[in-house]
Amino acid sequence: MSSGRRVLGVGERPHPLDPLGAREIEDVTRIMTEDGVLAAGSGRISYLGVEEPPKEQVLGAGPAPRRARALLVDLATEQAHDVVVSLTDGRVESSRPIDPVTAGQVPMLDEEHELVRRVLKADEGWAAALARRGLDAGAEIWLAALSAGHYGLPGEEGRRVARVLAHLRPTPDSLPWAHPIDGLVAYVDLLKGTVIEIVDTGVLPIPAEHGDYHLPGAFGEPRTTQRPIHITQPEGPSFAIDGNLVTWEKWSVRLGYDMREGLVLHQIAFDGRPIVYRASVAEMLVPYGDPSRIRFWQNYFDTGEYQLGKLANSLELGCDCLGEITYFDVTVTGGDGSPKALTNAICMHEEDFGVLWKHTDPANGSRETRRQRRLVISFFVTVGNYDYGFYWYLYLDGTIELEVKATGIVFTGAYDERAAPYASQVAPGLAAPYHQHLFSARLDMMVDGPANAVDEVEVVRLPMDEANPYGNAFGRRATRLRTESQGRRQADLAAGRTWHVVNPRVANRLGEPVGYALHPEGLPTLLAHEDSSIRSRAEFATSHLWVTRYHPAERYPAGDLVNQHPGGAGLPAYTAADRDIDGQDIVLWHTFGLTHFPRTEDWPIMPVDTCGFTLRPVGFFDRNPTLDVPPSATSPSSCHTPVNGAPPGAPAEGSCHQR
């Protein structure tokens, strides 16, 4: 059952990190309209969110000003602006024009998807290209405005461009992805509403086999073998909520939300001790590997170009979340500046996670088992054909984990000899190009305070010598990363490489600095060539780790404006000064993700694939922090046996089984 819904937003006196509420969104829109920076009728808001105060203001005793930041575009003048509004003073603080040539474009607008359909429906060249494929203007065709990238193509400089691929829908109920209209792409000017170019490399067969998994009986009758699973908490969940502050067990975390990043976790602390000041997925890149004239440009920044937060699903009990659930509604901003409520956008619950620790001691006969439990805070988004779930986990033992679940439908094209080196055939004549899903987690660390450092720790094989005559010894090596250039690192699974974020000013009872270790999965980073356009625009994705000195303006690994940016922004620019990161206020940027060579099993809908990372305490506690976790309340006698209560190995009635 659900324990109810709450609105993630602000009250009469919002916390400085709270997301904008509906009334604040209306106030910001009014202030910008009255100032004239948001043109009546033709002005559009591409992004609107809290301009978070610098960390020292939030952590200080005094009040922090309430500000909002907006990215605007005027459809009439084709001008864009980066605007900061003071809600405290009720005025526009700054308005900076955006040069589309050097700075790129503001993120995509929802209405631009419909715009490309109108433009192409009226274009004679597009109609002729469809006619060559035996399709007339009345055919059901799915079109989408796709981000254009930056390739220095003639006639595109400074223009707001979308590239458009087409899929056929044989019936109104059909899913289009099974029927790509390949060999054809249109380039559209989104501000002028005109076609720049139609690229037609020749007619290719449209795959005929349907992929309509959503229609009852399309792939056989449903199974009848599954029996119900019920997850209940008769006394309710163990967490408490005060505004946007959540406390659970010894954890506290402040929930935030941004229409670009989605769910943001602020001020994560354990037993009152700070660990992470701010955690989010600050960018997501999906680069494709097909070099053809039709698809070479397919490189999507789902966060910076499409804004994940505004694409969140409304989650459903029993489908997306199971158990005793608390939902949070969030509010984002429409292009016209009106608040847009996303109901049940965030799901929070706690769940059993198997054995936490266990031992049966042969010396004294004691048998002890404790069960692990975790708090789950999640949201799901749909970006065109793909769906992504972001799951933050807080565990009883102080572990923090992020798991990303990728599902949905692979992007498709026609499969032939040309496509074969760069794509999988997932159905007869249907190609799914090779691609990657790369995420950048921004982790503003604060392990027992703001003065942190990073040690790279890895295993070391030791030589056979007088100290190691039998060759069995091995050790580990810790290397302090002292500058931002040294803080750019690659994972090495063979060396067991981890990165320990330590506080040199705080020691545990053994005299060692307290710390948290980042455990990477170490899968491939960006595979595009060193000289490619996408590499220059997404250099963040070429290293598993970047460590930077904290600066409040450095929020996004590919820069503030990603759409059609020529490259070099974000982390390459942030680290150019090679600042000191040893014992400073630092931010970790961790690249992780999937390299996807689609399988036949991924069609017509892809089972969830996962990726992520773990932050685990290392010397942060003086001993196991879960010694006070009690035996399971449902079966306490079987999880705890006193000393000399039973001979070693003797089973207890109703014993607690490890899973």
Side-chain angles (χ1 to χ4, degrees):
M1 61 178 292
S2 172
S3 61
R5 271 173 46 189
R6 296 171 179 265
V7 177
L8 193 69
V10 296
E12 292 299 320
R13 294 182 179 179
H15 186 277
L17 301 176
D18 284 346
L20 296 176
R23 181 175 297 178
E24 289 184 308
I25 291 172
E26 292 171 344
D27 288 343
V28 172
T29 300
R30 175 184 52 79
I31 292 168
M32 293 192 298
T33 303
E34 292 175 352
D35 182 89
V37 70
L38 178 63
S42 60
R44 297 291 187 273
I45 298 176
S46 175
Y47 165 81
L48 179 62
V50 169
E51 179 75 344
E52 295 178 12
K55 186 188 301 185
E56 58 270 18
Q57 287 189 4
V58 176
L59 299 178
R66 186 76 167 162
R67 295 187 177 94
R69 184 185 184 189
L71 299 177
L72 311 178
V73 61
D74 190 327
L75 303 183
T77 65
E78 303 187 11
Q79 298 297 307
H81 286 80
D82 187 342
V83 179
V84 175
V85 173
S86 171
L87 282 160
T88 304
D89 300 331
R91 66 183 181 87
V92 172
E93 279 194 1
S94 65
S95 178
R96 180 176 59 85
I98 297 171
D99 181 351
V101 176
T102 60
Q105 300 278 345
V106 300
M108 304 286 289
L109 299 169
D110 290 342
E111 65 191 72
E112 289 173 329
H113 297 280
E114 181 58 35
L115 171 67
V116 299
R117 297 184 184 108
R118 294 197 307 269
V119 169
L120 290 178
K121 186 175 182 179
D123 186 77
E124 294 181 357
W126 182 256
L130 293 180
R132 287 192 288 273
R133 291 159 171 80
L135 302 171
D136 59 35
E140 285 276 352
I141 296 174
W142 174 254
L143 304 174
L146 301 171
S147 53
H150 187 282
Y151 297 94
L153 299 179
E156 289 191 359
E157 185 177 73
R159 301 175 78 171
R160 186 170 175 82
V161 179
R163 309 195 197 280
V164 187
L165 294 173
H167 288 75
L168 178 65
R169 296 174 64 193
T171 73
D173 290 333
S174 298
L175 289 170
W177 310 106
H179 314 290
I181 303 171
D182 212 338
L184 179 64
V185 60
Y187 301 168
V188 175
D189 186 315
L190 296 172
L191 292 174
K192 290 183 168 54
T194 59
V195 174
I196 299 171
E197 182 181 4
I198 293 175
V199 179
D200 188 344
T201 59
V203 177
L204 292 171
I206 298 175
E209 184 177 284
H210 77 83
D212 296 334
Y213 63 87
H214 64 300
L215 299 179
F219 291 95
E221 294 302 315
R223 302 180 192 185
T224 59
T225 53
Q226 293 189 349
R227 297 181 179 181
I229 294 178
H230 298 288
I231 299 173
T232 62
Q233 291 182 276
E235 299 179 21
S238 304
F239 52 76
I241 304 171
D242 181 7
N244 295 329
L245 180 65
V246 174
T247 53
W248 175 76
E249 293 295 312
K250 296 184 178 182
W251 288 102
S252 63
V253 58
R254 184 172 294 278
L255 303 185
Y257 198 87
D258 179 73
M259 66 182 287
R260 178 169 177 165
E261 297 169 283
L263 178 63
V264 180
L265 302 185
H266 298 282
Q267 297 180 318
I268 304 173
F270 191 97
D271 207 13
R273 299 170 64 187
I275 300 167
V276 184
Y277 177 77
R278 188 182 193 276
S280 70
V281 176
E283 191 53 81
M284 174 185 168
L285 170 68
V286 186
Y288 282 75
D290 187 335
S292 72
R293 286 186 64 202
I294 302 301
R295 302 180 183 278
F296 70 89
W297 49 270
Q298 281 192 279
N299 301 288
Y300 306 127
F301 292 78
D302 285 346
T303 304
E305 292 174 339
Y306 296 100
Q307 303 188 99
L308 287 178
K310 73 174 185 178
L311 303 174
N313 294 179
S314 291
L315 303 174
E316 297 183 41
L317 185 66
C319 300
D320 303 291
C321 306
L322 187 63
E324 185 74 20
I325 305 299
T326 295
Y327 291 108
F328 295 88
D329 299 345
V330 302
T331 305
V332 297
T333 307
D336 61 355
S338 60
K340 180 181 178 183
L342 303 178
T343 59
N344 290 8
I346 299 172
C347 168
M348 185 170 73
H349 66 287
E350 56 182 331
E351 61 186 21
D352 181 271
F353 198 65
V355 170
L356 169 63
W357 51 261
K358 178 181 178 67
H359 182 60
T360 300
D361 197 283
N364 64 8
S366 65
R367 299 194 306 275
E368 298 285 344
T369 301
R370 300 294 184 272
R371 293 198 66 78
Q372 177 68 283
R373 188 179 292 199
R374 65 185 183 185
L375 182 67
V376 184
I377 310 171
S378 65
F379 77 113
F380 237 102
V381 303
T382 298
V383 193
N385 55 302
Y386 260 108
D387 302 79
Y388 301 94
F390 298 85
Y391 290 72
W392 288 95
Y393 303 126
L394 303 179
Y395 292 86
L396 294 175
D397 62 353
T399 296
I400 303 169
E401 184 181 7
L402 173 63
E403 181 181 45
V404 178
K405 302 182 179 183
T407 180
I409 305 177
V410 291
F411 208 98
T412 54
Y415 188 85
D416 57 13
E417 291 183 358
R418 187 215 62 81
Y422 318 109
S424 302
Q425 184 172 212
V426 293
L430 187 67
Y434 304 154
H435 58 281
Q436 296 182 278
H437 306 261
L438 300 174
F439 305 86
S440 177
R442 182 182 182 274
L443 304 170
D444 186 345
M445 301 302 296
M446 196 175 173
V447 177
D448 259 346
N452 287 179
V454 179
D455 291 331
E456 182 172 274
V457 180
E458 54 193 7
V459 300
V460 177
R461 287 189 173 92
L462 298 177
M464 290 183 67
D465 54 21
E466 292 182 359
N468 182 27
Y470 300 103
N472 63 302
F474 59 89
R476 62 178 180 172
R477 174 174 54 239
T479 304
R480 176 63 52 88
L481 307 179
R482 301 191 182 279
T483 65
E484 289 178 320
S485 61
Q486 294 178 8
R488 183 174 178 176
R489 305 298 298 163
Q490 302 291 346
D492 186 347
L493 296 184
R497 182 173 292 170
T498 58
W499 295 291
H500 292 196
V501 183
V502 299
N503 189 325
R505 301 180 185 179
V506 181
N508 59 27
R509 67 174 179 150
L510 302 180
E512 298 293 331
V514 297
Y516 257 75
L518 171 60
H519 290 257
E521 291 182 334
L523 298 175
T525 55
L526 182 62
L527 296 172
H529 191 274
E530 288 83 354
D531 298 328
S532 64
S533 169
I534 186 57
R535 188 180 178 96
S536 67
R537 299 178 62 226
E539 191 172 342
F540 76 89
T542 64
S543 296
H544 289 106
L545 180 73
W546 302 66
V547 184
T548 64
R549 185 83 164 262
Y550 167 79
H551 190 287
E554 297 175 359
R555 284 274 298 274
Y556 308 109
D560 285 13
L561 293 173
V562 180
N563 191 16
Q564 295 181 242
H565 194 284
L571 284 170
Y574 301 161
T575 58
D578 201 18
R579 294 166 293 190
D580 175 24
I581 57 172
D582 186 1
Q584 305 295 333
D585 192 352
I586 60 173
V587 177
L588 270 60
W589 310 75
H590 176 42
T591 302
F592 64 96
L594 302 167
T595 297
H596 192 183
F597 297 95
R599 313 166 298 159
T600 53
E601 291 86 354
D602 291 329
W603 181 258
I605 186 168
M606 171 185 166
V608 159
D609 200 354
T610 63
C611 59
F613 64 88
T614 303
L615 285 168
R616 186 168 293 138
V618 54
F620 188 77
F621 304 107
D622 287 337
R623 56 182 59 82
N624 183 342
T626 65
L627 296 175
D628 57 351
V629 172
S632 172
T634 58
S635 184
S637 63
S638 61
C639 295
H640 168 71
T641 301
V643 174
N644 299 322
E653 183 178 353
S655 59
C656 184
H657 296 287
Q658 180 175 352
R659 74 163 184 158

